[in-house]
Amino acid sequence: MKTTVLMAALTLVLAGCSGWHEQAGVGECAKQVDVNDTSVNMEEVDCSSQDAVYRVSSREKRTMCPTGDYLDESSGRSRKTGKTRYCYVLNVEEGDCLKATNQYFQRVACGTGTRKVTKVVDGKQDRLLCAGEDSRTYSQPQKTICITN
């Protein structure tokens, strides 16, 4: 009986009753679970979704993401592998409108109080491409994203 109760409890925890969510893999898209939460807590979403504002660019077995403006999330520590760091790049296109909340962006309809992605340059990491606008640059993959202030 104790084994059955323990297995049922473990199943509920793994099924999501504890707030557990699917972690996106490299190349997959993600969104912040709660933009009002200042700790990074991402969950996988389909890349065609309006919510897919971030894409996992790498999983690192070190303490830092590559050079750039990555949003990063640290996973739990295990004895074998240590801590894993997920590094997220903005997953946006020119013309997308964004709303900033804490350190996160949400894709929204354009209007008052929104910021617009004016340029996305793949293969270059150079803030000067943004001519004074807000920018996000990444080294892996090399990318520059310009956003109106």
Side-chain angles (χ1 to χ4, degrees), residues 27-147:
E28 295 177 327
C29 295
K31 72 171 189 165
Q32 172 66 3
V33 173
D34 178 4
V35 294
N36 294 311
D37 182 357
T38 57
S39 62
V40 179
N41 185 15
M42 305 293 265
E43 70 180 343
E44 181 181 354
V45 294
D46 187 280
C47 287
S48 64
S49 165
Q50 178 78 3
D51 293 331
V53 181
Y54 295 94
R55 183 180 297 265
V56 179
S57 69
S58 66
R59 281 179 46 181
E60 305 292 334
K61 294 288 186 192
R62 53 186 173 189
T63 58
M64 308 270 303
C65 287
T67 304
D69 297 314
Y70 299 91
L71 186 63
D72 65 282
E73 175 182 27
S74 218
S75 74
R77 182 182 269 297
S78 76
R79 286 186 195 162
K80 275 185 164 179
T81 62
K83 196 174 273 192
T84 299
R85 184 165 305 277
Y86 291 83
C87 304
Y88 299 92
V89 298
L90 275 174
N91 180 46
V92 294
E93 296 177 6
E94 289 180 25
D96 282 351
C97 287
L98 306 171
K99 176 184 174 191
T101 305
N102 293 319
Q103 71 261 38
Y104 316 106
F105 283 111
Q106 294 172 281
R107 190 176 288 112
V108 296
C110 296
T112 305
T114 63
R115 300 172 71 189
K116 192 169 194 169
V117 176
T118 57
K119 189 185 293 185
V120 177
V121 181
D122 290 316
K124 292 187 178 182
Q125 180 185 10
D126 186 355
R127 292 189 194 289
L128 296 177
L129 294 169
C130 295
E133 291 183 328
D134 188 14
S135 62
R136 298 292 185 272
T137 62
Y138 308 100
S139 60
Q140 293 178 8
Q142 285 196 350
K143 181 179 267 200
T144 300
I145 299 171
C146 306
I147 306 169

